[in-house]
Amino acid sequence: MTSPVTFYRGRFAPSPTGPLHFGSLVAAVGSFLEARTQGGEWLLRMEDVDAPRCSTMAADSILRTLEAFGFAWDGAVVWQGRRSAAYVAALERIKAAGYIFPCACTRKELADSQLAPDGAAIYPGTCRHGLSPGRVARAWRLRVNAVQIGFEDAIQGPIVSDLASEVGDFVLLRADGLFAYQLAVVVDDAEAGITHVVRGADLLASTPRQIFLQQVMGLPAPAYAHLPVAVNAAGEKLSKQTLAPALDDAHPAPALVAALAFLGQSPPPELAWADAATVWQWALANWRLGRVPRLRALPYNPPDRTRDTAS
Ligand code: GLU
């Protein structure tokens, strides 16, 4: 018998690099419904730590879309851009414990390295025992021990990662002076008291890094569930880069129903003609995490596009 969840606090953490599209809606819908059906809270965090890629226009548009789609979050929106002091403090703590080292390697110098599952270079350890004479620190990296990081993903099943060989020492403070996503997300989830992370499986490769960092910092690890990622006909993740269309704030129901169908919930198709409140009523009464396909990626065919089957 599984013990009942006594407290649940989830979150949705979009990066405001563009308007919300179907791919991000899937993460919002999955994290929201799982939190609410567990009687939990659902927090919203704007992950604008990578300032050059983010804009306030995109953040405003995301907030407008979430409201138009009927999402209600608990508490105030957290903005990573305003949390530098927390990241500085965390970095100082890790530094004092001797877990980070300065790194002088340029992107070009690492270009021949093998790639981690998410495309980042596996760090060959060049600067881990000190900078060579004359080299200047650019970034700060976390020293990764030869440890296996394992966790049970509520959707994807057991995940094990040999972090040292699969990722290597990874960056916490970037060469451009910005805090790395891995640091910000761990600090923010811990400070907010997040107990459950439900997000896209494109972030599955980051999770062992985040768990290792939690261990280094003595922070509790939340439970994880990684949803399948929506991919286009070419197998590419829907994103701003692959020109995924923005959601239509004026017609939330069809997109919400499509997201529920994508997540294996089998909503009645006629729900697409109802209003958003009716869709949410159905979704809250019928959501089951166990019905979400246990896949890392799933093709998504926009319902409003006429597919050419002639050739
Ligand atoms: N900001 C990340 C993204 O939009 C999500 C981070 C997370 O959920 O941990 O892909």
Side-chain angles (χ1 to χ4, degrees), residues 4-39:
V5 174
T6 48
F7 184 71
Y8 188 114
R9 184 177 284 154
R11 59 22 167 223
F12 176 53
S15 299
T17 54
L20 277 192
H21 50 76
F22 183 79
S24 30
L25 178 67
V26 165
V29 166
S31 61
F32 178 78
L33 286 172
E34 185 57 15
R36 292 302 190 219
T37 54
Q38 297 283 340

Side-chain angles (χ1 to χ4, degrees), residues 102-179:
C103 174
C105 299
T106 61
R107 210 177 273 266
K108 207 165 150 208
E109 285 166 334
L110 297 176
D112 292 338
S113 309
Q114 277 183 290
L115 298 183
D118 63 353
I122 299 176
Y123 188 63
T126 322
C127 302
R128 107 187 291 247
H129 301 295
L131 296 178
S132 306
R135 300 298 310 260
V136 179
R138 292 163 46 82
W140 284 80
R141 287 181 185 271
L142 183 66
R143 199 181 297 278
V144 173
N145 309 331
V147 284
Q148 296 252 314
I149 300 287
F151 66 100
E152 181 70 27
D153 189 275
I155 297 168
Q156 307 292 338
I159 307 283
V160 179
S161 168
D162 182 328
L163 211 53
S165 70
E166 288 171 25
V167 176
D169 305 324
F170 59 91
V171 171
L172 294 187
L173 184 64
R174 298 171 15 173
D176 57 9
L178 296 173
F179 297 100

Side-chain angles (χ1 to χ4, degrees), residues 50-111:
D50 190 354
R53 292 182 57 232
C54 298
S55 77
T56 43
M57 230 169 77
D60 287 347
S61 141
I62 290 174
L63 292 174
R64 261 199 321 273
T65 300
L66 289 173
E67 275 170 10
F69 272 61
F71 288 95
W73 52 91
D74 295 295
V77 179
V78 170
W79 297 79
Q80 285 188 329
R82 300 175 192 166
R83 290 187 36 75
S84 300
Y87 309 142
V88 170
L91 212 56
E92 286 307 319
R93 246 178 74 200
I94 307 168
K95 197 184 212 168
Y99 279 107
I100 52 173
F101 62 88
C103 174
C105 299
T106 61
R107 210 177 273 266
K108 207 165 150 208
E109 285 166 334
L110 297 176

Side-chain angles (χ1 to χ4, degrees), residues 11-15 45 47 181 185 189 197-200 202-203 210 237:
R11 59 22 167 223
F12 176 53
S15 299
R45 180 168 75 230
E47 298 215 317
Y181 154 70
V185 80
D189 280 344
V197 171
V198 179
R199 61 185 177 188
D202 51 323
L203 292 159
Q210 293 169 16
K237 180 189 146 189

